[in-house]
């Protein structure tokens, strides 16, 4: 029963978020963008900073970073590097260092340890991860804006209709 109550609590908090649909969707999209970047301990800070800069919702930006979670960190880092190395023409140049970083991600080492390993691997490795992450982030963020804009518009319409119905009932009685 506790889990059901907790889910309902967060559901209600989500549908009661303040701000216009554009602002909320933009924040969520910026959060998804930052969440797709392979900068694990800094994703939320980047998302909130971008939301501040582009006037999106800071709360939904922080929520959007949860697209990156322990279930997909390995794939996020793996494809960030592979796409970045391919785009930069650096495929196969960092084999040992890359496998060491991926082992750290797979075993769930601390995010700062992973970040330190990437930085210690040098500029080529950093460039590969960031380039691939940027490409993946753009590909994920653009459709997420439109998906969440649709969602937040529907929530607002539903909320307004419910409020009008309630106001109508109160006037009749």
């Amino acid at each position: 029963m506790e889990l059901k109550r907790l889910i309902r609590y967060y559901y209600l908090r989500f549908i009661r978020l303040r701000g216009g649909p554009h602002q909320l969707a933009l924040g969520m999209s910026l959060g998804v963008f930052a969440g797709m970047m392979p900068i694990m301990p800094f994703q939320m800070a980047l998302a909130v900073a971008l939301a501040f800069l582009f006037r999106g919702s800071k709360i939904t930006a922080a929520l959007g970073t949860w697209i990156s979670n322990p279930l997909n960190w390995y794939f996020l880092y793996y494809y960030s590097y592979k796409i970045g190395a391919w785009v930069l023409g650096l495929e196969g140049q960092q084999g040992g260092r890359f496998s060491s970083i991926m082992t750290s991600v797979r075993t769930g080492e601390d995010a700062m340890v992973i970040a330190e390993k990437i930085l210690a691997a040098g500029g080529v490795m950093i460039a590969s991860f960031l380039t691939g992450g940027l490409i993946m982030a753009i590909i994920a963020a653009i459709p997420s804006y439109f998906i969440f804009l649709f969602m937040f518009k529907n929530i607002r319409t539903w909320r307004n209709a419910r409020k009008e119905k309630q106001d109508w009932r109160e006037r009749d009685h």
Side-chain angles (χ1 to χ4, degrees), residues 40 73-75 77-78 95-110 113-114 117-118 129:
M40 203 167 349
W73 284 336
Y74 182 83
F75 301 105
Y77 276 76
Y78 180 84
R97 290 181 175 166
F98 174 67
S99 63
S100 171
I101 292 167
M102 294 313 298
T103 299
S104 295
V105 173
R106 187 176 57 250
T107 58
E109 282 193 41
D110 185 58
V113 171
I114 296 167
K117 283 187 176 187
I118 293 171
F129 272 109

Side-chain angles (χ1 to χ4, degrees), residues 44-80:
M44 198 171 293
L46 174 62
V48 172
L50 288 171
F52 183 77
L53 183 67
F54 291 106
R55 298 179 188 206
S57 167
K58 286 104 186 131
I59 293 171
T60 57
L63 286 173
T65 63
W66 285 51
I67 193 167
S68 169
N69 59 65
L71 299 175
N72 68 4
W73 284 336
Y74 182 83
F75 301 105
L76 174 75
Y77 276 76
Y78 180 84
Y79 288 111
S80 289

Side-chain angles (χ1 to χ4, degrees), residues 122-158:
V124 170
M125 184 68 72
I126 295 167
S128 295
F129 272 109
L130 291 179
T131 301
L134 186 61
I135 291 167
M136 288 178 23
I138 291 168
I139 289 170
I142 292 171
S144 73
Y145 170 77
F146 294 104
I147 291 166
F148 284 106
L149 181 63
F150 175 78
M151 223 171 89
F152 287 122
K153 281 182 176 180
N154 284 338
I155 289 170
R156 172 161 285 172
T157 301
W158 171 76

